[in-house]
Short mmCIF file of all heavy atoms in Angstrom, two decimals:
data_model
loop_
_atom_site.label_atom_id
_atom_site.label_comp_id
_atom_site.label_asym_id
_atom_site.label_seq_id
_atom_site.Cartn_x
_atom_site.Cartn_y
_atom_site.Cartn_z
N ASN O 1 -1.95 -4.12 -0.29
CA ASN O 1 -1.35 -5.39 0.10
C ASN O 1 -0.49 -5.90 -1.06
O ASN O 1 -0.96 -6.05 -2.18
CB ASN O 1 -2.50 -6.38 0.39
CG ASN O 1 -2.01 -7.72 0.88
OD1 ASN O 1 -0.98 -8.20 0.46
ND2 ASN O 1 -2.77 -8.31 1.77
N PHE O 2 0.78 -6.14 -0.80
CA PHE O 2 1.69 -6.53 -1.88
C PHE O 2 1.25 -7.80 -2.59
O PHE O 2 1.52 -7.99 -3.77
CB PHE O 2 3.11 -6.69 -1.33
CG PHE O 2 3.75 -5.39 -0.96
CD1 PHE O 2 4.08 -5.11 0.35
CD2 PHE O 2 4.00 -4.41 -1.92
CE1 PHE O 2 4.66 -3.90 0.70
CE2 PHE O 2 4.57 -3.20 -1.59
CZ PHE O 2 4.90 -2.94 -0.27
N LEU O 3 0.54 -8.68 -1.90
CA LEU O 3 0.07 -9.91 -2.53
C LEU O 3 -1.09 -9.65 -3.49
O LEU O 3 -1.40 -10.47 -4.33
CB LEU O 3 -0.38 -10.91 -1.45
CG LEU O 3 0.70 -11.38 -0.49
CD1 LEU O 3 0.09 -12.27 0.60
CD2 LEU O 3 1.78 -12.16 -1.24
N ARG O 4 -1.74 -8.48 -3.37
CA ARG O 4 -2.93 -8.19 -4.17
C ARG O 4 -2.75 -7.00 -5.10
O ARG O 4 -3.68 -6.62 -5.78
CB ARG O 4 -4.12 -7.90 -3.23
CG ARG O 4 -4.42 -9.04 -2.28
CD ARG O 4 -4.89 -10.29 -2.99
NE ARG O 4 -5.11 -11.37 -2.06
CZ ARG O 4 -5.50 -12.58 -2.39
NH1 ARG O 4 -5.71 -12.87 -3.65
NH2 ARG O 4 -5.67 -13.52 -1.49
N ARG O 5 -1.59 -6.41 -5.14
CA ARG O 5 -1.44 -5.16 -5.89
C ARG O 5 -1.59 -5.34 -7.40
O ARG O 5 -1.83 -4.37 -8.11
CB ARG O 5 -0.11 -4.48 -5.58
CG ARG O 5 1.11 -5.23 -6.04
CD ARG O 5 2.36 -4.47 -5.68
NE ARG O 5 3.54 -5.27 -5.95
CZ ARG O 5 4.76 -4.90 -5.67
NH1 ARG O 5 4.97 -3.74 -5.09
NH2 ARG O 5 5.77 -5.67 -5.94
N ASP O 6 -1.44 -6.56 -7.89
CA ASP O 6 -1.58 -6.79 -9.32
C ASP O 6 -3.00 -7.16 -9.73
O ASP O 6 -3.28 -7.31 -10.91
CB ASP O 6 -0.60 -7.88 -9.78
CG ASP O 6 0.84 -7.45 -9.62
OD1 ASP O 6 1.11 -6.24 -9.79
OD2 ASP O 6 1.70 -8.30 -9.33
N SER O 7 -3.91 -7.30 -8.77
CA SER O 7 -5.29 -7.64 -9.12
C SER O 7 -6.00 -6.39 -9.64
O SER O 7 -5.66 -5.26 -9.30
CB SER O 7 -6.04 -8.19 -7.90
OG SER O 7 -6.30 -7.16 -6.97
N GLU O 8 -7.02 -6.60 -10.45
CA GLU O 8 -7.79 -5.48 -10.98
C GLU O 8 -8.43 -4.69 -9.84
O GLU O 8 -8.38 -3.45 -9.82
CB GLU O 8 -8.87 -5.99 -11.94
CG GLU O 8 -9.72 -4.89 -12.53
CD GLU O 8 -10.84 -5.41 -13.42
OE1 GLU O 8 -10.89 -6.63 -13.69
OE2 GLU O 8 -11.67 -4.58 -13.85
N ALA O 9 -9.04 -5.40 -8.89
CA ALA O 9 -9.69 -4.72 -7.77
C ALA O 9 -8.66 -3.93 -6.96
O ALA O 9 -8.92 -2.79 -6.55
CB ALA O 9 -10.41 -5.73 -6.88
N GLY O 10 -7.49 -4.52 -6.71
CA GLY O 10 -6.44 -3.84 -5.95
C GLY O 10 -5.97 -2.58 -6.65
O GLY O 10 -5.80 -1.52 -6.01
N GLN O 11 -5.77 -2.65 -7.96
CA GLN O 11 -5.34 -1.48 -8.72
C GLN O 11 -6.40 -0.39 -8.71
O GLN O 11 -6.09 0.80 -8.57
CB GLN O 11 -5.01 -1.88 -10.17
CG GLN O 11 -3.77 -2.76 -10.30
CD GLN O 11 -2.51 -2.01 -9.89
OE1 GLN O 11 -2.21 -0.94 -10.41
NE2 GLN O 11 -1.77 -2.57 -8.95
N LYS O 12 -7.66 -0.79 -8.85
CA LYS O 12 -8.74 0.19 -8.86
C LYS O 12 -8.95 0.82 -7.48
O LYS O 12 -9.38 1.97 -7.38
CB LYS O 12 -10.02 -0.43 -9.41
CG LYS O 12 -9.93 -0.67 -10.91
CD LYS O 12 -11.16 -1.33 -11.48
CE LYS O 12 -11.04 -1.47 -13.00
NZ LYS O 12 -12.21 -2.17 -13.57
N CYS O 13 -8.67 0.06 -6.43
CA CYS O 13 -8.73 0.63 -5.08
C CYS O 13 -7.65 1.69 -4.91
O CYS O 13 -7.89 2.76 -4.32
CB CYS O 13 -8.57 -0.47 -4.03
SG CYS O 13 -10.05 -1.47 -3.78
N CYS O 14 -6.44 1.42 -5.41
CA CYS O 14 -5.35 2.40 -5.35
C CYS O 14 -5.73 3.66 -6.13
O CYS O 14 -5.48 4.78 -5.68
CB CYS O 14 -4.07 1.82 -5.93
SG CYS O 14 -3.27 0.63 -4.88
N THR O 15 -6.35 3.47 -7.29
CA THR O 15 -6.77 4.61 -8.09
C THR O 15 -7.85 5.41 -7.38
O THR O 15 -7.84 6.65 -7.40
CB THR O 15 -7.27 4.14 -9.48
OG1 THR O 15 -6.20 3.46 -10.14
CG2 THR O 15 -7.72 5.31 -10.33
N PHE O 16 -8.77 4.72 -6.71
CA PHE O 16 -9.81 5.40 -5.94
C PHE O 16 -9.16 6.26 -4.85
O PHE O 16 -9.54 7.42 -4.65
CB PHE O 16 -10.76 4.37 -5.34
CG PHE O 16 -11.77 4.95 -4.37
CD1 PHE O 16 -12.58 6.01 -4.73
CD2 PHE O 16 -11.89 4.42 -3.10
CE1 PHE O 16 -13.52 6.54 -3.84
CE2 PHE O 16 -12.82 4.93 -2.20
CZ PHE O 16 -13.63 6.00 -2.57
N GLN O 17 -8.17 5.71 -4.13
CA GLN O 17 -7.48 6.48 -3.11
C GLN O 17 -6.84 7.73 -3.72
O GLN O 17 -6.94 8.82 -3.17
CB GLN O 17 -6.41 5.63 -2.44
CG GLN O 17 -6.97 4.53 -1.54
CD GLN O 17 -5.86 3.74 -0.88
OE1 GLN O 17 -5.07 3.08 -1.56
NE2 GLN O 17 -5.78 3.82 0.43
N HIS O 18 -6.18 7.55 -4.86
CA HIS O 18 -5.50 8.67 -5.53
C HIS O 18 -6.54 9.71 -5.97
O HIS O 18 -6.34 10.92 -5.80
CB HIS O 18 -4.71 8.13 -6.73
CG HIS O 18 -3.85 9.14 -7.40
ND1 HIS O 18 -2.97 8.81 -8.40
CD2 HIS O 18 -3.73 10.48 -7.24
CE1 HIS O 18 -2.35 9.91 -8.81
NE2 HIS O 18 -2.80 10.94 -8.13
N TRP O 19 -7.66 9.25 -6.52
CA TRP O 19 -8.71 10.15 -6.98
C TRP O 19 -9.25 11.00 -5.83
O TRP O 19 -9.38 12.21 -5.95
CB TRP O 19 -9.83 9.32 -7.63
CG TRP O 19 -10.95 10.13 -8.18
CD1 TRP O 19 -11.05 10.66 -9.43
CD2 TRP O 19 -12.16 10.50 -7.51
NE1 TRP O 19 -12.24 11.34 -9.57
CE2 TRP O 19 -12.94 11.26 -8.40
CE3 TRP O 19 -12.65 10.26 -6.22
CZ2 TRP O 19 -14.18 11.78 -8.06
CZ3 TRP O 19 -13.89 10.78 -5.88
CH2 TRP O 19 -14.64 11.53 -6.79
N VAL O 20 -9.56 10.35 -4.69
CA VAL O 20 -10.08 11.09 -3.52
C VAL O 20 -9.03 12.08 -3.02
O VAL O 20 -9.35 13.24 -2.72
CB VAL O 20 -10.50 10.12 -2.39
CG1 VAL O 20 -10.78 10.87 -1.10
CG2 VAL O 20 -11.72 9.30 -2.80
N TYR O 21 -7.79 11.62 -2.95
CA TYR O 21 -6.69 12.49 -2.49
C TYR O 21 -6.60 13.75 -3.37
O TYR O 21 -6.51 14.86 -2.86
CB TYR O 21 -5.38 11.71 -2.52
CG TYR O 21 -4.16 12.54 -2.20
CD1 TYR O 21 -3.75 12.73 -0.89
CD2 TYR O 21 -3.43 13.15 -3.22
CE1 TYR O 21 -2.64 13.51 -0.59
CE2 TYR O 21 -2.33 13.94 -2.93
CZ TYR O 21 -1.94 14.11 -1.62
OH TYR O 21 -0.85 14.89 -1.34
N GLU O 22 -6.66 13.55 -4.69
CA GLU O 22 -6.55 14.69 -5.61
C GLU O 22 -7.78 15.59 -5.54
O GLU O 22 -7.66 16.82 -5.51
CB GLU O 22 -6.33 14.19 -7.04
CG GLU O 22 -6.05 15.31 -8.01
CD GLU O 22 -5.59 14.81 -9.38
OE1 GLU O 22 -4.55 14.09 -9.45
OE2 GLU O 22 -6.26 15.14 -10.37
N LYS O 23 -8.97 15.00 -5.50
CA LYS O 23 -10.20 15.79 -5.49
C LYS O 23 -10.36 16.61 -4.21
O LYS O 23 -11.04 17.64 -4.22
CB LYS O 23 -11.43 14.88 -5.66
CG LYS O 23 -11.53 14.24 -7.03
CD LYS O 23 -11.72 15.27 -8.13
CE LYS O 23 -11.87 14.60 -9.48
NZ LYS O 23 -12.02 15.56 -10.58
N THR O 24 -9.75 16.16 -3.12
CA THR O 24 -9.84 16.90 -1.85
C THR O 24 -8.58 17.70 -1.57
O THR O 24 -8.34 18.11 -0.44
CB THR O 24 -10.11 15.93 -0.68
OG1 THR O 24 -9.02 15.01 -0.56
CG2 THR O 24 -11.42 15.17 -0.86
N ASN O 25 -7.76 17.90 -2.61
CA ASN O 25 -6.51 18.67 -2.48
C ASN O 25 -5.60 18.14 -1.38
O ASN O 25 -4.97 18.91 -0.66
CB ASN O 25 -6.84 20.16 -2.24
CG ASN O 25 -7.62 20.76 -3.37
OD1 ASN O 25 -7.19 20.70 -4.52
ND2 ASN O 25 -8.77 21.32 -3.08
N GLY O 26 -5.56 16.80 -1.25
CA GLY O 26 -4.67 16.18 -0.28
C GLY O 26 -5.15 16.23 1.16
O GLY O 26 -4.40 15.93 2.08
N ASN O 27 -6.42 16.58 1.36
CA ASN O 27 -6.96 16.72 2.72
C ASN O 27 -7.62 15.45 3.25
O ASN O 27 -7.89 15.36 4.44
CB ASN O 27 -7.99 17.85 2.75
CG ASN O 27 -7.34 19.21 2.66
OD1 ASN O 27 -6.72 19.67 3.61
ND2 ASN O 27 -7.47 19.86 1.51
N LEU O 28 -7.92 14.49 2.37
CA LEU O 28 -8.67 13.32 2.81
C LEU O 28 -8.20 12.09 2.04
O LEU O 28 -7.86 12.19 0.86
CB LEU O 28 -10.17 13.57 2.56
CG LEU O 28 -11.17 12.54 3.07
CD1 LEU O 28 -12.46 13.25 3.51
CD2 LEU O 28 -11.50 11.51 2.01
N LEU O 29 -8.18 10.95 2.71
CA LEU O 29 -7.78 9.68 2.09
C LEU O 29 -8.68 8.57 2.61
O LEU O 29 -8.84 8.41 3.82
CB LEU O 29 -6.33 9.37 2.42
CG LEU O 29 -5.79 8.04 1.85
CD1 LEU O 29 -5.60 8.14 0.34
CD2 LEU O 29 -4.48 7.65 2.52
N VAL O 30 -9.28 7.80 1.70
CA VAL O 30 -10.02 6.60 2.10
C VAL O 30 -9.01 5.47 2.17
O VAL O 30 -8.23 5.25 1.25
CB VAL O 30 -11.14 6.27 1.10
CG1 VAL O 30 -11.89 5.01 1.53
CG2 VAL O 30 -12.11 7.44 0.98
N THR O 31 -8.98 4.77 3.29
CA THR O 31 -7.98 3.73 3.49
C THR O 31 -8.64 2.48 4.07
O THR O 31 -9.86 2.42 4.22
CB THR O 31 -6.83 4.25 4.38
OG1 THR O 31 -5.78 3.28 4.40
CG2 THR O 31 -7.29 4.54 5.79
N ASP O 32 -7.83 1.48 4.36
CA ASP O 32 -8.33 0.20 4.88
C ASP O 32 -9.37 -0.40 3.94
O ASP O 32 -10.41 -0.88 4.37
CB ASP O 32 -8.90 0.40 6.29
CG ASP O 32 -8.88 -0.89 7.10
OD1 ASP O 32 -8.13 -1.80 6.73
OD2 ASP O 32 -9.60 -0.98 8.10
N LEU O 33 -9.07 -0.38 2.64
CA LEU O 33 -10.01 -0.91 1.65
C LEU O 33 -9.95 -2.43 1.64
O LEU O 33 -8.90 -3.03 1.48
CB LEU O 33 -9.66 -0.35 0.27
CG LEU O 33 -9.75 1.17 0.16
CD1 LEU O 33 -9.19 1.65 -1.17
CD2 LEU O 33 -11.16 1.66 0.35
N GLN O 34 -11.11 -3.05 1.83
CA GLN O 34 -11.19 -4.50 1.95
C GLN O 34 -12.58 -4.98 1.59
O GLN O 34 -13.54 -4.22 1.70
CB GLN O 34 -10.84 -4.93 3.38
CG GLN O 34 -11.71 -4.26 4.44
CD GLN O 34 -11.17 -4.45 5.83
OE1 GLN O 34 -10.72 -5.55 6.17
NE2 GLN O 34 -11.21 -3.42 6.64
N GLY O 35 -12.66 -6.21 1.14
CA GLY O 35 -13.96 -6.75 0.80
C GLY O 35 -13.85 -7.98 -0.09
O GLY O 35 -12.82 -8.66 -0.13
N VAL O 36 -14.93 -8.24 -0.83
CA VAL O 36 -15.00 -9.38 -1.73
C VAL O 36 -15.16 -8.84 -3.14
O VAL O 36 -16.14 -8.16 -3.44
CB VAL O 36 -16.18 -10.31 -1.37
CG1 VAL O 36 -16.30 -11.45 -2.39
CG2 VAL O 36 -16.01 -10.86 0.04
N GLY O 37 -14.18 -9.11 -3.99
CA GLY O 37 -14.22 -8.58 -5.34
C GLY O 37 -14.25 -7.07 -5.31
O GLY O 37 -13.44 -6.43 -4.66
N MET O 38 -15.23 -6.49 -6.00
CA MET O 38 -15.34 -5.03 -6.08
C MET O 38 -16.24 -4.44 -5.00
O MET O 38 -16.49 -3.25 -4.97
CB MET O 38 -15.88 -4.63 -7.46
CG MET O 38 -14.93 -4.93 -8.59
SD MET O 38 -13.53 -3.79 -8.64
CE MET O 38 -12.71 -4.39 -10.12
N LYS O 39 -16.76 -5.29 -4.11
CA LYS O 39 -17.61 -4.79 -3.02
C LYS O 39 -16.77 -4.64 -1.76
O LYS O 39 -16.18 -5.61 -1.27
CB LYS O 39 -18.79 -5.72 -2.78
CG LYS O 39 -19.83 -5.65 -3.87
CD LYS O 39 -21.14 -6.27 -3.43
CE LYS O 39 -22.25 -5.95 -4.43
NZ LYS O 39 -23.57 -6.37 -3.93
N LEU O 40 -16.72 -3.42 -1.23
CA LEU O 40 -15.85 -3.09 -0.11
C LEU O 40 -16.65 -2.73 1.13
O LEU O 40 -17.77 -2.22 1.05
CB LEU O 40 -14.94 -1.91 -0.48
CG LEU O 40 -14.17 -2.03 -1.79
CD1 LEU O 40 -13.42 -0.73 -2.08
CD2 LEU O 40 -13.21 -3.21 -1.76
N THR O 41 -16.04 -2.99 2.31
CA THR O 41 -16.69 -2.67 3.57
C THR O 41 -15.65 -2.35 4.64
O THR O 41 -14.46 -2.61 4.46
CB THR O 41 -17.59 -3.84 4.04
OG1 THR O 41 -18.30 -3.43 5.22
CG2 THR O 41 -16.77 -5.09 4.36
N ASP O 42 -16.12 -1.82 5.75
CA ASP O 42 -15.27 -1.56 6.93
C ASP O 42 -14.05 -0.71 6.58
O ASP O 42 -12.94 -0.99 7.01
CB ASP O 42 -14.86 -2.89 7.57
CG ASP O 42 -14.46 -2.72 9.02
OD1 ASP O 42 -14.87 -1.72 9.65
OD2 ASP O 42 -13.72 -3.58 9.54
N VAL O 43 -14.26 0.34 5.80
CA VAL O 43 -13.17 1.20 5.37
C VAL O 43 -12.86 2.24 6.44
O VAL O 43 -13.63 2.42 7.39
CB VAL O 43 -13.50 1.90 4.03
CG1 VAL O 43 -13.78 0.88 2.95
CG2 VAL O 43 -14.69 2.85 4.18
N GLY O 44 -11.73 2.91 6.28
CA GLY O 44 -11.36 4.01 7.16
C GLY O 44 -11.16 5.27 6.35
O GLY O 44 -11.02 5.23 5.13
#
């Protein structure tokens, strides 16, 4: 979300997506990251 991309949680969520993408050789992506602070739920 462009409104949240500068937050620490937002940046770490992007890094998590990148980490999963790299570790699975581009076969899997965790998306729809949302929640309160660093606690996330209802992901895709």
Side-chain angles (χ1 to χ4, degrees):
N1 183 325
F2 289 116
L3 298 175
R4 302 295 177 181
R5 67 180 172 184
D6 295 326
S7 72
E8 180 183 353
Q11 291 295 305
K12 288 178 177 177
C13 283
C14 286
T15 300
F16 172 54
Q17 290 181 296
H18 187 173
W19 181 88
V20 169
Y21 174 87
E22 186 170 302
K23 292 296 182 182
T24 62
N25 299 305
N27 287 288
L28 187 146
L29 178 72
V30 180
T31 189
D32 205 18
L33 299 171
Q34 55 192 319
V36 176
M38 294 286 182
K39 288 196 169 188
L40 309 174
T41 185
D42 202 22
V43 302

